[in-house]
């Protein structure tokens, strides 16, 4: 069973579905943004929607009896990961965490690392007047609710419209990666962005904005990942995860 919602999960599912004798069930949160996963056309099965907490996941795992669980959810999807860790431990099912490495600052970067979204919202007004916020549609509400942010010209980029109502001077840009350096430079210039806000998501699909900010000398508020969990096994790439699944499924057969 593969907990998905990321590019890595899609890639791993595609590769594993070619393995004879291996059946993959991908689990998605069931939000609109999962549509691409459904369209991926992989032969593997997809289940959708929350399990109902760690207890619900235990029930599902008992009923479906997967040999292995791979948690390939996004680095900021802390709740589902905590549930996977607890549920797999309770049933003794081998569990792998597939997580892309965090981004690393390079020479010329002006990064301000913060521990969470609330701190980023506190900091952003000290850093610029025209921020571009690229943290997804759910948590951007912290910026919308912040008193100082209502005096800023916010630009918010997300795949789907934000859940919360944006303040009047907000431009919502709907777009889905991967993004190119040329495109990111054009966007930052067009909207005269003077500070970028991002989660430390890692990966290549959305990395170009960091490069563009460096080229333009812009500060970047980087929200740190949630604290790491005590995973029994971790893979930093799809290739490593593929190896782990093949080794462990061979042992199981
Ligand atoms: P979250 O806060 O960790 O999860 C909230 C709840 O959503 C979970 O407790 C679970 O409900 C359900 N859920 C989440 N992922 C699920 C999955 N793969 N399969 C079944 N149920 C799932 O997660 P989130 O940050 O809202 O992210 C939701 C999904 O979007 C994840 O699959 C993640 O990989 C993807 N995603 C997240 C981000 C991000 O920045 N957070 C970015 C890109 C993609 P129950 O407790 O009822 O089981």
């Amino acid at each position: 069973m593969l907990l998905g919602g990321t590019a890595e999960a899609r890639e791993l599912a595609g590769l594993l579905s070619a393995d004879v004798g291996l059946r993959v069930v991908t689990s998605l949160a069931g939000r609109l943004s999962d549509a691409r996963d459904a369209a991926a056309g992989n032969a593997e099965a997809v289940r959708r929607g929350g399990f109902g907490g760690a207890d619900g996941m235990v029930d599902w795992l008992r009923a479906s009896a997967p040999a292995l669980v791979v948690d390939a959810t996004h680095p900021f999807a802390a709740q589902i990961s905590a549930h996977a860790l607890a549920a797999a431990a309770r049933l003794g099912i081998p569990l792998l965490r597939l997580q892309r490495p965090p981004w690393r600052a390079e020479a010329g970067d002006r990064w301000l690392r913060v521990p969470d979204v609330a701190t980023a919202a506190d900091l952003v007004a000290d850093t610029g007047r025209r921020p571009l916020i690229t943290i997804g549609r759910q948590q951007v509400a912290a910026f919308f609710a912040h008193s100082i942010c209502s005096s800023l010209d916010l630009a918010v980029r997300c795949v789907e419209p934000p859940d919360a109502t944006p303040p009047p001077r907000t431009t919502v840009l709907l777009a889905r990666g991967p993004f190119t350096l040329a495109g990111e430079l054009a966007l930052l210039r067009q909207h005269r962005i003077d500070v970028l806000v991002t989660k430390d998501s890692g990966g290549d699909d959305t990395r170009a904005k960091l490069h563009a900010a460096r080229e333009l000398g812009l500060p970047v508020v980087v929200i740190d990942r949630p604290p790491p969990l005590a995973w029994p096994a971790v893979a930093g790439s799809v290739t490593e995860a593929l190896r782990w699944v093949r080794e462990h499924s061979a042992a199981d057969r």
Side-chain angles (χ1 to χ4, degrees), residues 15-24 65-68 94 242-253:
L15 292 167
L16 287 173
S17 66
D19 278 21
V20 176
L22 203 63
R23 202 169 73 82
V24 181
L68 309 170
L242 190 62
R243 195 179 312 128
W244 184 91
V245 172
R246 283 178 175 157
E247 280 170 16
H248 285 75
S249 56
D252 186 68
R253 280 193 286 242

Side-chain angles (χ1 to χ4, degrees), residues 24-207:
V24 181
V25 177
T26 296
S27 174
L28 300 172
R31 316 244 162 92
L32 282 176
S33 49
D34 293 336
R36 188 169 51 160
D37 297 270
N42 292 323
E44 94 277 14
V46 175
R47 69 159 298 285
R48 291 173 183 283
F51 295 92
D55 289 344
M57 195 186 292
V58 166
D59 292 344
W60 189 93
L61 291 171
R62 268 208 191 103
S64 308
L68 309 170
V69 176
V70 177
D71 175 8
T73 58
H74 191 271
F76 281 81
Q79 210 169 303
I80 189 73
S81 287
H83 295 170
L85 185 60
R90 252 152 78 184
L91 298 179
I93 302 175
L95 169 69
L96 176 75
R97 172 62 169 150
L98 166 55
Q99 182 164 270
R100 51 181 103 132
W103 286 318
R104 286 183 166 198
E106 296 181 21
D109 279 331
R110 296 174 57 202
W111 288 9
L112 304 156
R113 281 200 171 270
V114 294
D116 50 39
V117 175
T119 314
D122 285 341
L123 182 69
V124 80
D126 296 336
T127 318
R129 306 307 303 164
R130 304 180 67 87
L132 173 62
I133 301 167
T134 60
I135 62 169
R137 73 173 202 279
Q138 292 182 70
Q139 289 181 301
V140 78
F143 287 82
F144 294 171
H146 201 289
S147 55
I148 294 178
C149 289
S150 62
S151 67
L152 304 178
D153 291 311
L154 296 181
V156 172
R157 180 169 70 192
C158 36
V159 174
E160 285 145 18
D163 295 340
T165 307
R169 289 162 55 183
T170 304
T171 305
V172 176
L173 306 159
L174 298 182
R176 162 169 253 156
F179 300 105
T180 63
L181 175 58
E184 297 296 60
L185 282 168
L187 180 82
L188 296 177
R189 287 188 177 118
Q190 182 191 346
H191 294 277
R192 294 186 291 120
I193 300 302
D194 56 9
V195 56
L196 173 67
V197 182
T198 181
K199 291 174 173 172
D200 187 357
S201 297
D204 293 330
D205 281 7
T206 58
R207 189 195 298 273

